[in-house]
Amino acid sequence: MISSCGKENRMTSSSVNQPESEEPNPTLIFDTLNAYQRTGALKAAIELKLFTAIGAGRTGATALAAACGASERGVRILCDYLTVIGLLSKSSDEYSLTSTAAAFLDENSARYMGSAARFVASDGMMDTFRDVAGAVRRGGTLLPEGGSTKIDYEPWIEFAESMGPMMMPAAMFIANLVAERYPSGPLRVLDVAASHGLFGLSIAQRLPQAEIVAQDFHAVLEVTRKNATAAGCMDRYSFLPGDVMTLDLPGTYDCVLLTNFLHHFSAQACESLLRKLQARLNPKGVVVSLEFIPNEDRVTPPTPAAFALTMLMSTNHGDAYTFADYQAMFEAAGFVRNEMIDVPRSPSRLIVSSLH
C-alpha cells in the first residue's frame, strides 16, 4: 500500500506522451474549445434531477420532461448529449444510467456527489478561468486579495456545504489508516481547514476515544459544527477559528490532518506551517496530508497534474507539488519519515509524516 519515494502512480493518461498520428486531427482542438458545454450540460442535468428521474424508471423523453418540469425537445437533446459524453446509455428512444451516473448522480444513491456542482461549476469558479492568458502573464491569480487564500474567502462556505460527498472515500480511507495506528488509548486530532469536517468526523466515528479540534474560518466552522452535531459527535469536538498560518495553536496533538490545504501556498509558506505543527505534535504523532500529487514529470496522472492550472488561476503561489517537493518541505520542518500512499478510487494521494 505504501509507495516508495520514486514509484510512479499507476494511473496514466492514454493521451499523455503519445506520438501524434501521421494525419493531424482537429477534433481535439474543437472538443477542447467546446468543453464548457460539457460543464453546462452536466450542471443542468443535476439541477433538473434528470439522473434521479431516470433511476426511478422514467426512461423516455416524454416521461422525463414531465418529471423534470422541462420541454420534451430540451430533454431529448440534453439526454442525447449526455449519452454522447458517456453519462447515459440509449436504446431506441429509452435512456438508462451508466454505472458512473447511477453511483454518483442519482440522488437515491448513497454515493451521490451531484452537490459538488454547486461549487465546482459555480459562476465564481467559472469566472476564475475567464482570462487564463492574463494569469499566465502575471504568474498568479487575477482574483483580488490573493484569491482563495485570502482571509474569510467566501466561496469556502459553499465548498464546505457541497463538497463533502466527493471527499467521503478519502475520509474513510484516512480514518481506517489512523485507526490502525491508534487502535486504543486517547487520541487528540487537529483538523486543519476542517471545512465540512468529514475527515475529522470519520475518525471520530471510527474511534470513540478520539477528540477533534476543528480549525477553520469562523463562518466555515458553522458548517463543521452542523455536521458534527448531525453525526452525534459534538461532545468530542472543539473549535479553533482563524487563520492557521497566524494562529497560536493550543496544546499538543497525536494526529494532524492537512487535507487539500498545502497546495494553496508557496513551498516556503508550507514549510513555515509544518514547523509550527511539528512543534505541537507529540513525539509519536503523525501528520496526514491529502493532496493532488503529480508524478515527477508533472503531466501524469492527468487529474493531479492538471490541478496546477487551478492553483495558477486561484492563488498567488500555490501549485500541484510532486512528492519530492513535499518531501523536501517536510524534511526541512523536522519530519524524518514521509510515506506516500495512493488513495483507492481517488486521484489524490496521502503523505504520512512522522518525527521518527
Side-chain angles (χ1 to χ4, degrees):
M1 181 173 65
I2 298 176
S3 303
S4 62
C5 296
K7 182 180 177 181
E8 294 293 299
N9 191 290
R10 291 183 296 274
M11 295 180 291
T12 58
S13 170
S14 61
S15 62
V16 173
N17 295 329
Q18 296 296 317
E20 293 185 2
S21 61
E22 292 183 6
E23 292 295 327
N25 189 334
T27 301
L28 175 61
I29 309 301
F30 183 79
D31 287 348
T32 303
L33 287 173
N34 282 291
Y36 65 92
Q37 296 182 9
R38 294 170 67 103
T39 303
L42 178 54
K43 185 178 180 181
I46 292 170
E47 179 181 328
L48 293 167
K49 302 181 183 297
L50 179 70
F51 300 106
T52 304
I54 294 174
R58 298 175 179 89
T59 58
T62 302
L64 285 169
C68 297
S71 71
E72 184 174 339
R73 174 177 180 268
V75 165
R76 173 183 58 78
I77 291 173
L78 177 58
C79 286
D80 284 345
Y81 184 88
L82 294 170
T83 301
V84 170
I85 65 173
L87 290 173
L88 295 180
S89 298
K90 185 178 183 181
S91 177
S92 195
D93 290 327
E94 303 291 315
Y95 301 95
S96 60
L97 302 178
T98 62
S99 59
T100 296
F104 302 120
L105 296 172
D106 183 342
E107 290 181 339
N108 293 313
S109 169
R111 293 186 286 173
Y112 177 72
M113 58 176 60
S115 62
R118 289 166 44 196
F119 177 79
V120 177
S122 66
D123 290 344
M125 287 299 293
M126 300 297 286
D127 287 342
T128 299
F129 285 80
R130 294 287 181 194
D131 187 5
V132 177
V136 170
R137 293 187 185 100
R138 183 177 181 181
T141 184
L142 302 180
L143 297 174
E145 302 178 62
S148 62
T149 60
K150 76 175 183 178
I151 304 299
D152 291 330
Y153 181 61
E154 188 173 347
W156 288 138
I157 300 173
E158 184 70 74
F159 180 96
E161 292 176 340
S162 62
M163 292 295 287
M166 188 168 283
M167 297 296 108
M168 185 56 75
M172 296 301 296
F173 184 76
I174 290 173
N176 289 334
L177 183 148
V178 173
E180 289 177 6
R181 191 179 184 96
Y182 301 100
S184 61
L187 177 65
R188 195 160 189 254
V189 178
L190 174 63
D191 190 358
V192 174
S195 186
H196 39 70
L198 292 188
F199 294 103
L201 279 171
S202 294
I203 293 175
Q205 292 175 316
R206 182 75 167 75
L207 297 171
Q209 76 272 22
E211 295 183 0
I212 314 297
V213 179
Q215 181 281 321
D216 213 315
F217 298 123
H218 178 78
V220 176
L221 284 178
E222 291 304 308
V223 181
T224 316
R225 188 186 302 273
K226 177 182 177 181
N227 290 338
T229 300
C233 295
M234 270 296 291
D235 60 329
R236 291 184 285 133
Y237 255 77
S238 59
F239 299 89
L240 186 61
D243 181 358
V244 72
M245 295 299 197
T246 57
L247 274 175
D248 290 329
L249 299 175
T252 57
Y253 305 92
D254 303 295
C255 178
V256 176
L257 301 177
L258 279 173
T259 53
N260 300 314
F261 186 74
L262 293 175
H263 54 240
H264 292 93
F265 304 96
S266 68
Q268 293 76 15
C270 290
E271 182 182 324
S272 177
L273 173 62
L274 293 172
R275 288 183 184 277
K276 177 164 44 172
L277 296 174
Q278 187 258 23
R280 292 298 180 183
L281 193 66
N282 286 330
K284 295 183 179 181
V286 64
V287 173
V288 180
S289 306
L290 179 72
E291 288 289 347
F292 291 107
I293 305 176
N295 295 328
E296 296 304 314
D297 60 14
R298 297 187 186 274
V299 293
T300 59
T303 299
F307 187 72
L309 182 64
T310 301
M311 291 297 94
L312 174 69
M313 300 307 299
S314 60
T315 72
N316 281 330
H317 304 291
D319 207 339
Y321 294 109
T322 66
F323 178 63
D325 293 331
Y326 281 120
Q327 191 171 36
M329 297 176 206
F330 277 93
E331 288 181 351
F335 291 89
V336 174
R337 184 174 176 82
N338 300 286
E339 299 171 314
M340 184 168 65
I341 303 174
D342 292 331
V343 180
R345 301 178 302 280
S346 170
S348 299
R349 290 162 154 176
L350 295 182
I351 300 176
V352 180
S353 304
S354 56
L355 303 176
H356 303 285

